Amino acid sequence: MWAFLSSVVALGTRHLGAWLADTGRRRGNAGRMIGGRWTHAHPGVIVRLALAMVIGIGIVAQMQVWTSRLGEHSQAAVATHQRNEDTVIELTTSGMTAAQTDRFRASLPSGSLLLTRTMHDPGPPEEPWVSVEGPCQDLRTLHLACTGDGTRTTAPGNAQVDELRRWYGNVKFAQIPRVTVKADGTQSLLVITPAPGRLAGVKHAAHTVPNPSVQVTELGGNWLGSSRTRLPSWIQVFGVTGLLFLLVAGAVSAAAEFVRIRHAFAPLSVLTGHRRVFRSVSSWHLTVPLPISTVVAGAVTAWHSVFFVALVREGSVSWTVLAVGVTTCAVISLGVGFLGARAASREADQWRPAAD
């Protein structure tokens, strides 16, 4: 969508210019006719200015969506740590043999439970879900029903089980006779300790297993700490930097357009006998196409942001931020037309016919 946006804007600008010129000619509006013809003949000017604002709106919206997405994870991780501290621990590994798993379980702090977690994504229209499996004794310790035949259950469980459901969504528990980990990396281990403060002991137990790919973190621990909480700030820094580059590019393009308009529009004061034509031509050539592009960009960006949030099921769309971006671009559009008309009016005072 963004790759072909410039071509779409250029095509739409040419058609808009032709329509403005035709309606201006039929209604006897010199400013609309001249502005439309100029827009039709020079769509690149509008494209450069419009794209700077359109991409700027897109960057602002995506920056806000990503920031809200990361903020939700960080807030959820902090809430999880406040409720259960480090009693639920995740271990990611590319595979452990049955002997290694038994050795790891024997090295865990006393009273710890060992479960496996498997992600299942059957694809639409079915929803993805997570299966957590463990021995019957461990499931009963978590206040989960143990059917004995391995069928999945969604019994209420205790506080740690509720926390797993908050993070994984649709969780189904199942009984297995022995905890094992597949070598394809689709499974991970879960350790539930009877009391907080056992994370160091779990890490020590993991290091006794000759598997260098094992990573041990508390539930949501990847989103805790200064490195994760500062990610939204980094996104804002890069987003603001990109906006500055776009604004500089738009300002340079606008400055070049002012110079061109100033020399080309000056003779119109002699032909029309008044200077109002400068405001009219600049409005129809610069001001009108830019707000139209801004409104279209705002609608597309809103759809893109909502679609992204619905797809990843995270984050939120700030309509205030989007409205501020659209309003800013609309104000810039008015300013561009006003400066163009002012530059042409000043040039008209000094213009003299030459090379007749």
Side-chain angles (χ1 to χ4, degrees):
M1 180 182 67
W2 294 104
F4 291 97
L5 183 61
S6 59
S7 300
V8 174
V9 172
L11 183 63
T13 301
R14 289 183 61 88
H15 285 291
L16 176 63
W19 178 79
L20 290 176
D22 183 63
T23 56
R25 180 183 57 82
R26 286 188 282 105
R27 296 183 180 182
N29 190 321
R32 181 186 297 189
M33 181 184 67
I34 297 172
R37 288 180 177 178
W38 197 283
T39 300
H40 179 76
H42 306 281
V45 176
I46 305 301
V47 171
R48 288 192 296 271
L49 294 175
L51 284 181
M53 295 188 295
V54 168
I55 297 177
I57 294 175
I59 289 180
V60 168
Q62 290 300 309
M63 181 175 63
Q64 179 272 318
V65 170
W66 275 93
T67 302
S68 67
R69 183 188 180 192
L70 297 176
E72 285 187 358
H73 282 298
S74 299
Q75 293 173 4
V78 172
T80 296
H81 185 76
Q82 291 175 347
R83 285 189 294 262
N84 296 283
E85 298 189 24
D86 56 357
T87 56
V88 182
I89 302 171
E90 294 178 309
L91 284 86
T92 57
T93 174
S94 59
M96 295 173 61
T97 64
Q100 290 176 338
T101 305
D102 293 339
R103 181 179 176 181
F104 171 69
R105 181 176 188 132
S107 303
L108 288 174
S110 177
S112 299
L113 308 179
L114 183 62
L115 308 169
T116 62
R117 186 200 68 164
T118 308
M119 298 291 297
H120 302 273
D121 190 3
E126 298 183 20
E127 296 290 336
W129 56 281
V130 175
S131 63
V132 177
E133 301 172 330
C136 180
Q137 182 179 358
D138 291 351
L139 295 180
R140 287 177 176 175
T141 304
L142 296 174
H143 303 162
L144 293 170
C146 186
T147 58
D149 58 357
T151 57
R152 295 180 176 85
T153 177
T154 57
N158 62 359
Q160 285 82 6
V161 172
D162 294 338
E163 208 63 51
L164 291 176
R165 288 196 172 104
R166 291 188 184 98
W167 276 93
Y168 301 147
N170 186 12
V171 181
K172 299 179 181 179
F173 296 86
Q175 173 193 351
I176 54 176
R178 185 180 183 183
V179 175
T180 57
V181 182
K182 295 181 180 179
D184 56 2
T186 59
Q187 286 185 323
S188 60
L189 292 175
L190 292 174
V191 177
I192 299 179
T193 60
R198 309 293 176 86
L199 180 61
V202 175
K203 289 184 177 181
H204 177 74
H207 289 206
T208 62
V209 180
N211 193 329
S213 62
V214 175
Q215 296 180 354
V216 183
T217 57
E218 62 178 290
L219 186 64
N222 290 331
W223 297 98
L224 292 174
S226 59
S227 61
R228 289 294 184 180
T229 55
R230 291 178 181 176
L231 279 178
S233 300
W234 280 108
I235 292 179
Q236 291 177 2
V237 168
F238 287 118
V240 170
T241 303
L243 285 176
L244 290 177
F245 279 111
L246 288 173
L247 290 177
V248 170
V252 172
S253 177
E257 178 63 9
F258 293 162
V259 173
R260 193 158 64 97
I261 289 179
R262 183 179 62 184
H263 296 292
F265 285 173
L268 291 179
S269 62
V270 178
L271 298 177
T272 59
H274 58 80
R275 298 181 181 179
R276 294 192 303 272
V277 67
F278 299 133
R279 293 193 297 269
S280 180
V281 172
S282 297
S283 298
W284 290 108
H285 173 50
L286 295 175
T287 304
V288 172
L290 293 179
I292 294 176
S293 301
T294 301
V295 172
V296 174
V300 173
T301 302
W303 172 85
H304 193 198
S305 301
V306 172
F307 176 78
F308 178 79
V309 172
L311 185 65
V312 302
R313 299 177 184 176
E314 296 172 345
S316 60
V317 180
S318 175
W319 301 109
T320 302
V321 172
L322 186 60
V324 169
V326 173
T327 303
T328 302
C329 291
V331 172
I332 293 176
S333 302
L334 296 175
V336 167
F338 172 77
L339 292 177
R342 184 181 180 184
S345 179
R346 286 187 174 184
E347 181 68 16
D349 294 335
Q350 303 173 2
W351 178 82
R352 297 294 182 273
D356 288 351

